[in-house]
Amino acid sequence: MVKNSFISVISQKENTENRGSVEFQVFTFTSKISILTSHLQLHKKDSSSQRGLRKILGKRQRLLAYLSKKNRERYKKLIAELDIREIKTR
């Protein structure tokens, strides 16, 4: 349900469904992260889920770094919409 509402917001902005956009990918990773986090609160010793969570976090971090380099305005807007922390830059 949440994913469908975000798809409609993006499609209204771009007039097409662009599921390959960085914003959409970051949103899907963020929703998967929240699901896995709630799962790991119940099942603390599920190491395979912990590994999956770390992989998804890395993918999201790389996408956010890419977006930050290419278009800082879109990056700032996405960070504000999803209420996530800004990435650390070196």
Side-chain angles (χ1 to χ4, degrees), residues 39-83:
H39 169 77
L40 286 170
Q41 287 175 347
L42 295 174
H43 308 282
K44 292 179 178 24
K45 296 189 177 186
D46 189 356
S47 60
S48 60
S49 291
Q50 290 175 359
R51 181 175 185 263
L53 177 63
R54 285 192 299 267
K55 289 182 77 146
I56 292 172
L57 284 170
K59 287 180 184 178
R60 184 177 77 172
Q61 183 179 7
R62 285 191 299 273
L63 279 173
L64 287 172
Y66 167 79
L67 187 61
S68 173
K69 289 177 188 173
K70 293 295 180 184
N71 193 337
R72 193 71 177 174
E73 295 169 5
R74 283 174 47 196
Y75 168 76
K76 290 284 188 182
K77 186 176 179 183
L78 181 64
I79 293 291
E81 284 179 4
L82 294 179
D83 193 31

Side-chain angles (χ1 to χ4, degrees), residues 21-35:
S21 69
V22 175
E23 290 90 351
F24 184 78
Q25 290 180 44
V26 170
F27 174 76
T28 57
F29 287 146
T30 303
S31 62
K32 287 180 185 179
I33 287 168
S34 65
I35 291 168

